[in-house]
Amino acid sequence: MVEHLQLMVEHLQLMVEHLQVMEEHLQLMEEHLQLMVEHLQVKEEHLQLTEEHLQLTEEHLQLMVEHLQLMVEHLQLMVEHLQVKEEHLQLMVEHLQVKEEHLQLMVEHLQLMVEHLQVMEEHLQLMVEHLQLMEEHLQLMEEHLQLTVEHLQLTVEHLQLTVEHLQLTVEHLQLTEEHLQVMEEHLQLMVEHLQVMEEHLQLMVEHLQLMVE
């Protein structure tokens, strides 16, 4: 009986130690559950920020499309302006020819007409330089248009990547919620096991009292 009593005491000590281990495990599970809840909150905030970034990207895309339309309209106006300048240059060339013929006929007014011709030649040079500048400006506008189109393409690709990232974030959020549910079920099982251990401990104490009696 004494040996049996010693065995019961040792078993009772083991049960107490097991109960302490279960309590520590329960505390660790509670801490892990708190960390999972905080992680879920952080993922929700990240999801909100990603949605806001997606809206801003869409607004930026709309602004880029409007800018592209304005650039196309400006390019059309520049082409029309270049055509007007070319017509004006042709008229100036024809006018210069008429003045040269008139210079030959008007020998008496040679000096005045020569000065006028020089002025007209300078104006013609300025018109030619202006035409060259307009052509260079047109080339720059074309290059800017190409760069704007490339930027628009990159913006569209960025929008696609943002949508994919949003989908992955939503999937990760779903997996996190599933993991949280599994942890809650595990916590319930640990609580039930703890209750069973407490009942077993009570039975051991009652048995020990009976043995002592």
Side-chain angles (χ1 to χ4, degrees):
M1 290 299 291
V2 174
E3 293 178 357
H4 182 67
L5 184 60
Q6 289 177 350
L7 289 174
M8 290 301 296
V9 170
E10 292 177 359
H11 181 68
L12 182 61
Q13 291 176 347
L14 291 174
M15 291 300 297
V16 170
E17 292 177 357
H18 181 68
L19 181 61
Q20 290 176 349
V21 171
M22 290 302 297
E23 287 179 353
E24 292 177 357
H25 181 68
L26 181 61
Q27 289 178 352
L28 291 174
M29 289 301 298
E30 289 178 353
E31 293 176 358
H32 180 69
L33 182 62
Q34 289 178 353
L35 290 175
M36 290 302 299
V37 171
E38 293 177 358
H39 178 69
L40 182 61
Q41 291 176 350
V42 171
K43 295 304 291 184
E44 288 178 353
E45 293 177 357
H46 179 68
L47 181 61
Q48 291 177 353
L49 291 174
T50 304
E51 290 177 353
E52 293 177 358
H53 179 68
L54 181 61
Q55 291 177 352
L56 291 175
T57 304
E58 290 176 354
E59 294 176 359
H60 179 68
L61 182 62
Q62 291 176 354
L63 290 174
M64 289 304 298
V65 171
E66 293 176 359
H67 178 68
L68 182 62
Q69 291 175 350
L70 291 174
M71 291 302 298
V72 171
E73 293 176 359
H74 181 68
L75 182 62
Q76 291 175 350
L77 291 174
M78 292 303 298
V79 170
E80 293 176 359
H81 181 67
L82 182 62
Q83 291 176 350
V84 172
K85 288 295 181 182
E86 287 177 352
E87 293 176 357
H88 182 66
L89 181 62
Q90 290 176 355
L91 290 174
M92 291 302 298
V93 172
E94 294 175 359
H95 182 66
L96 182 61
Q97 292 174 353
V98 171
K99 287 295 181 180
E100 288 176 350
E101 292 175 358
H102 183 68
L103 180 63
Q104 291 175 357
L105 294 173
M106 300 297 294
V107 176
E108 294 178 358
H109 299 281
L110 181 61
Q111 292 178 348
L112 293 174
M113 292 306 296
V114 168
E115 293 176 358
H116 183 68
L117 180 62
Q118 289 176 350
V119 172
M120 292 303 296
E121 285 176 351
E122 291 177 357
H123 182 67
L124 180 63
Q125 289 177 354
L126 290 174
M127 290 302 298
V128 171
E129 292 177 358
H130 181 68
L131 180 63
Q132 290 176 350
L133 290 173
M134 290 302 296
E135 288 177 352
E136 292 176 357
H137 182 66
L138 181 63
Q139 290 177 353
L140 290 174
M141 290 302 297
E142 289 177 352
E143 292 176 358
H144 180 67
L145 181 63
Q146 290 177 353
L147 290 174
T148 303
V149 172
E150 292 177 359
H151 180 69
L152 182 62
Q153 291 175 350
L154 290 173
T155 303
V156 172
E157 293 177 358
H158 179 68
L159 181 62
Q160 292 176 350
L161 290 174
T162 303
V163 172
E164 292 177 0
H165 179 67
L166 182 62
Q167 291 175 349
L168 291 174
T169 303
V170 171
E171 292 178 359
H172 181 70
L173 183 61
Q174 292 175 349
L175 290 174
T176 303
E177 290 177 355
E178 293 177 359
H179 180 68
L180 184 61
Q181 291 176 354
V182 171
M183 292 303 297
E184 289 178 355
E185 293 177 358
H186 181 68
L187 183 62
Q188 290 177 353
L189 290 175
M190 291 302 298
V191 171
E192 292 176 0
H193 181 68
L194 184 62
Q195 291 175 351
V196 171
M197 292 301 298
E198 289 177 354
E199 292 176 358
H200 182 68
L201 183 63
Q202 290 176 354
L203 291 174
M204 291 298 299
V205 170
E206 292 176 357
H207 181 69
L208 183 62
Q209 290 176 352
L210 292 174
M211 292 298 297
V212 171
E213 292 176 357

